[in-house]
Amino acid sequence: MKLRLVATCLFGLEKLLGEEIDALGLKRLETIDGRITFEGEPIDIARANIGLRCAEHVFIALGSFPAYSFTELFDGVKSIPWEDWIGKYDAFPVKGHSIKSRLYSVPDCQSIIKKAVVERLSKHYGVAWLAETGAKYQIEFFLFKDTVTLMLDTSGIPLHKRGYRPAAGPAPLRETLAAALALNARPKEDVLFWDPMCGSGTIAIEAALILSNRAPGLGRSFAGENFAALPKALWDAAREEAESKIRTDSAYEVYASDIDDAILDVTYENALRAGVEEHLNIFQADVRRIKKEDRRGTVVCNPPYGERLMTPKEAEELYRDMGRAFSELSPWQIYIITSHPQFERLYGSRADKTKKLYNGMIPCTLYQYFKPKFK
C-alpha cells in the first residue's frame, strides 16, 4: 500500500533531509520550506521515524484540496476516509497552521476540521457520541496558499528528542540541527571530529551516531506504534534493520571539549545513553588555546551568541580569540554557527561558504572554512 508521507524539518535543512530520504530508498514527491513529501509503504513510516536525523516529525498525508471557505474546508475534510485509521474509541485532537490563506484563523479551522471528522466517524460507526478514550491520532492540518493538507502525526514527541539528553546546558542545541551540522561537515572515520565548545555534547554525539551508522531513533518510541494499522511486527522489523546497519568495527574518534569542567559529566552521561561513549574523548580545554594535532581534522562548534550565554561584548571578544586560535589549524576544516551578523569581521576571515539556518527561532549563519590557508 503506497502512502504519501511528509517529513518536516527546521528551515535550511531540506537538502540534508532530502538526501536522507533518498538514502532510505524512498521517492521524493515535493519539497517546500520546512517539509518534504515522499512516497512509502507502511513499514517506511517506522523506518523514517527511526532513521531520519534531520526530521522533526513524520506524518501520513491523508488528503489535500483547495479551501477558500469554511464550507469547502468542512466538506473536504468530511470526504476523507478517516475510519481507515481512526477507530471507534480513538482520540483525534486537531492542531495546525495557516499561511498565506483566506482561512487564517487557526482556532476556527481546528473547530471546523474536528466537527467534520466527528460527523464522518459518527456516521461510519453508527454512534451519536465518540468517547475518544483509545489511542491518540493527532490530526495536523497545513493551510498554505488556500490549499489544505490533512495529516496524522506518527512521531508524537518531536524527533529531535532522541532520548539520550534528559539534561543539557543553559543554551542547548536541538539534536536535529546538531546532526545537520555534523552531516554538513561530512565526517569520516580517518578524520578527527572536534567540538571544542561541546556543552552537553550534542554535536559530538550526533557526529558519533553518524560515524557508527547508529539510527537516531533506536532509543525511543513513537506515536505510530499505537496505530492499529501499523502493527508491532512492522516496527520490530524496522528496528532490526536499523540495528543490523550499526558499524561495530569503526575506529573513528570524536573530541568533545569545553572550558566548563562541570558540564563534561553531563556530556559523558549523554554519550553513554546514546551508546557512543567509547568513541568520545571528553576533556576540559579552553577553545582559545586549541592546538592542531598531526592528523587530519574538522572542527564544528556552536559558540555563545551573546544572547543566552555571555554578553554581546564577551561573545565578540571570544570570536576574535577564536579567529586567532583557529588560524593555526589550517588545513583543518572549520564550521561555526552563530547569529552574530558581524562574525566574519570579528573572526578576521571571510568564510569560503555560508548557509542560513535556524537555531530554534534564532536566525543563524553557518560559516564554513574548508580551503587551506597559506601564509
Side-chain angles (χ1 to χ4, degrees), residues 196-253:
M197 286 175 280
C198 69
S200 57
T202 313
I203 294 175
I205 290 170
E206 291 294 329
L209 290 171
I210 292 165
L211 285 162
S212 60
N213 203 33
R214 182 183 293 269
L218 276 174
R220 55 159 289 176
S221 59
F222 308 93
E225 292 183 73
N226 295 316
F227 288 15
L230 302 176
K232 182 177 182 296
L234 177 152
W235 294 89
D236 289 344
R239 284 193 172 91
E240 288 174 10
E241 177 191 9
E243 288 170 353
S244 72
K245 294 180 178 179
I246 296 173
R247 292 191 59 193
T248 57
D249 60 345
S250 179
Y252 72 87
E253 187 174 23

Side-chain angles (χ1 to χ4, degrees), residues 4-319:
R4 286 177 67 89
L5 306 176
V6 177
T8 57
C9 64
L10 296 172
F11 291 149
L13 304 191
E14 296 86 359
K15 182 177 184 296
L16 289 170
L17 177 56
E19 291 174 354
E20 290 192 273
I21 291 170
D22 293 344
L24 287 176
L26 304 177
K27 180 183 178 182
R28 280 189 267 173
L29 302 176
E30 181 186 29
T31 299
I32 63 174
D33 287 348
R35 62 187 57 219
I36 296 177
T37 302
F38 60 104
E39 192 175 67
E41 305 283 344
I43 193 171
D44 296 319
I45 296 170
R47 295 177 69 231
N49 274 295
I50 293 167
L52 294 178
R53 301 182 191 279
C54 297
E56 294 294 327
H57 287 269
V58 175
F59 298 96
I60 304 168
L62 297 184
S64 185
F65 52 87
Y68 302 98
S69 68
F70 287 127
T71 299
E72 289 176 316
L73 178 62
F74 181 89
D75 292 343
V77 172
K78 192 176 178 181
S79 70
I80 293 172
W82 297 97
E83 64 276 5
D84 289 352
W85 293 92
I86 303 174
K88 184 177 181 179
Y89 300 103
D90 294 333
F92 48 97
V94 179
K95 64 180 180 180
H97 306 277
S98 179
I99 301 172
K100 299 179 181 178
S101 297
R102 299 182 197 182
L103 303 180
Y104 58 85
S105 171
V106 169
D108 287 339
C109 290
Q110 286 176 295
S111 178
I112 294 294
I113 292 169
K114 181 74 175 186
K115 183 179 179 181
V117 178
V118 166
E119 285 204 14
R120 171 88 187 203
L121 293 179
S122 295
K123 181 178 180 181
H124 178 80
Y125 292 116
V127 296
W129 182 72
L130 297 165
E132 295 196 55
T133 55
K136 179 182 175 181
Y137 290 76
Q138 179 66 62
I139 297 173
E140 180 116 0
F141 69 88
F142 180 56
L143 250 170
F144 181 64
K145 294 183 178 178
D146 299 311
T147 295
V148 63
T149 299
L150 278 301
M151 304 176 292
L152 293 177
D153 182 6
T154 69
S155 302
I157 296 171
L159 295 179
H160 72 264
K161 296 186 177 182
R162 319 285 205 213
Y164 67 72
R165 197 179 73 169
L173 190 72
R174 189 175 291 192
E175 292 90 330
T176 42
L177 179 56
L181 297 178
L183 285 168
N184 186 78
R186 308 298 178 187
K188 300 178 179 64
E189 182 176 355
D190 59 346
V191 179
L192 172 65
F193 188 103
W194 190 349
D195 179 0
M197 286 175 280
C198 69
S200 57
T202 313
I203 294 175
I205 290 170
E206 291 294 329
L209 290 171
I210 292 165
L211 285 162
S212 60
N213 203 33
R214 182 183 293 269
L218 276 174
R220 55 159 289 176
S221 59
F222 308 93
E225 292 183 73
N226 295 316
F227 288 15
L230 302 176
K232 182 177 182 296
L234 177 152
W235 294 89
D236 289 344
R239 284 193 172 91
E240 288 174 10
E241 177 191 9
E243 288 170 353
S244 72
K245 294 180 178 179
I246 296 173
R247 292 191 59 193
T248 57
D249 60 345
S250 179
Y252 72 87
E253 187 174 23
V254 174
Y255 281 8
S257 62
D258 200 282
I259 194 171
D260 179 7
D261 190 53
I263 195 65
L264 297 179
D265 287 339
V266 176
T267 303
Y268 177 76
E269 291 166 4
N270 290 341
L272 190 65
R273 278 185 288 267
V276 296
E277 79 286 349
E278 64 181 294
H279 292 286
L280 260 64
N281 184 353
I282 301 169
F283 57 96
Q284 190 274 336
D286 187 340
V287 68
R288 298 174 176 89
R289 295 174 177 81
I290 190 171
K291 298 295 182 182
K292 181 175 67 175
E293 298 188 5
D294 187 21
R295 60 197 290 193
R296 295 170 65 197
T298 297
V299 170
V300 181
C301 60
N302 172 43
Y305 303 165
E307 297 183 20
R308 291 176 290 183
L309 289 176
M310 290 189 169
T311 66
K313 185 176 180 181
E314 288 171 335
E316 290 176 358
E317 189 58 39
L318 173 63
Y319 297 159

